[in-house]
Amino acid sequence: MCGPRISLGSGLKDYRRTGSICGIPIVAGLQEASAFPTPIFTPATKADTGHDENIPFERMAEIVGPAQAEAARGISLRIYQEALGHAAGVGLTIADTKFEFGIADGALVWIDEALTPDSSRFWETAMVEPGNAPPSFDKQFVRDYLETLTWNKTAPGPSLPDAVIAGTRGRYLEAFKRLTGRDLPDID
């Protein structure tokens, strides 16, 4: 994961608890939506069940080897910086994003979606203000709804009301249109 800002999620919880994110010391006094001096690379391992586990870079290097860890960090930050510049041009901030890599035949391979509302936090740049969660064009809308429920966060999850589904769909379509300059074809 890379990001220039503290956003909702495990990174913010880690920062509030330890003053660091994935073992990376972060300047004190930041609030949600505050900017980091530079984007950071925060590795995680893929869990068999539940949520992925954030780990320090050194642990990642132990698991995949120093060369593969450096390659993953370098390519992640390069892709992220390019995407960040593109998004800024259409008035969006990518608060953070997730890239998933694997190793096949000794080579680093990109293995999953990237820079979508499911893998990134897109915020309206004009509304980003430290200390407040800006409106987002991503799955945070669903997460916010789920936090209003009494649910133990184990499968099966609760059904989503039509309004939450429509609100999520609208946000995803808006992100697509803003980022690509075109409408997504209707596939209903």
Side-chain angles (χ1 to χ4, degrees), residues 101-119:
F101 296 97
I103 299 172
D105 298 325
L108 189 68
V109 292
W110 195 346
I111 62 170
D112 201 3
E113 66 174 289
L115 300 163
T116 70
D118 271 355
S119 65

Side-chain angles (χ1 to χ4, degrees), residues 5 33 87-95 121-129 132-138 171 174-175 178:
R5 297 192 173 271
V90 297
L92 294 177
T93 294
I94 306 173
R121 292 180 202 273
F122 294 100
W123 292 341
E124 183 75 48
T125 301
M127 300 185 79
V128 174
E129 178 182 321
N132 295 306
S136 63
F137 298 91
D138 54 60
R171 284 164 173 77
E174 178 66 19
R178 300 263 302 266

Side-chain angles (χ1 to χ4, degrees), residues 131-145:
N132 295 306
S136 63
F137 298 91
D138 54 60
K139 64 185 174 185
Q140 191 61 46
F141 186 71
V142 173
R143 288 178 172 152
D144 291 346
Y145 167 73

Side-chain angles (χ1 to χ4, degrees), residues 24-144:
I24 302 167
I26 306 294
V27 64
L30 297 181
Q31 305 171 48
E32 181 180 355
S34 291
F36 298 133
T38 60
I40 60 173
F41 175 77
T42 55
T45 59
K46 194 74 178 158
D48 291 332
T49 60
H51 293 285
D52 297 345
E53 178 188 350
N54 293 337
I55 60 173
F57 181 79
E58 295 75 21
R59 177 69 182 126
M60 178 186 175
E62 290 172 7
I63 294 169
V64 301
Q68 297 290 22
E70 288 292 345
R73 177 167 54 190
I75 192 75
S76 295
L77 289 169
R78 191 173 85 227
I79 294 167
Y80 178 74
Q81 290 283 28
E82 289 190 29
L84 188 63
H86 175 76
V90 297
L92 294 177
T93 294
I94 306 173
D96 62 45
T97 194
K98 175 179 72 172
F99 300 113
E100 293 189 29
F101 296 97
I103 299 172
D105 298 325
L108 189 68
V109 292
W110 195 346
I111 62 170
D112 201 3
E113 66 174 289
L115 300 163
T116 70
D118 271 355
S119 65
S120 305
R121 292 180 202 273
F122 294 100
W123 292 341
E124 183 75 48
T125 301
M127 300 185 79
V128 174
E129 178 182 321
N132 295 306
S136 63
F137 298 91
D138 54 60
K139 64 185 174 185
Q140 191 61 46
F141 186 71
V142 173
R143 288 178 172 152
D144 291 346

Side-chain angles (χ1 to χ4, degrees), residues 7-18 20 147 153:
S7 61
L8 294 171
S10 60
L12 178 59
K13 291 174 187 169
D14 194 17
Y15 174 74
R16 286 179 173 161
R17 192 178 67 254
T18 68
S20 64
E147 287 298 320
K153 298 184 181 172

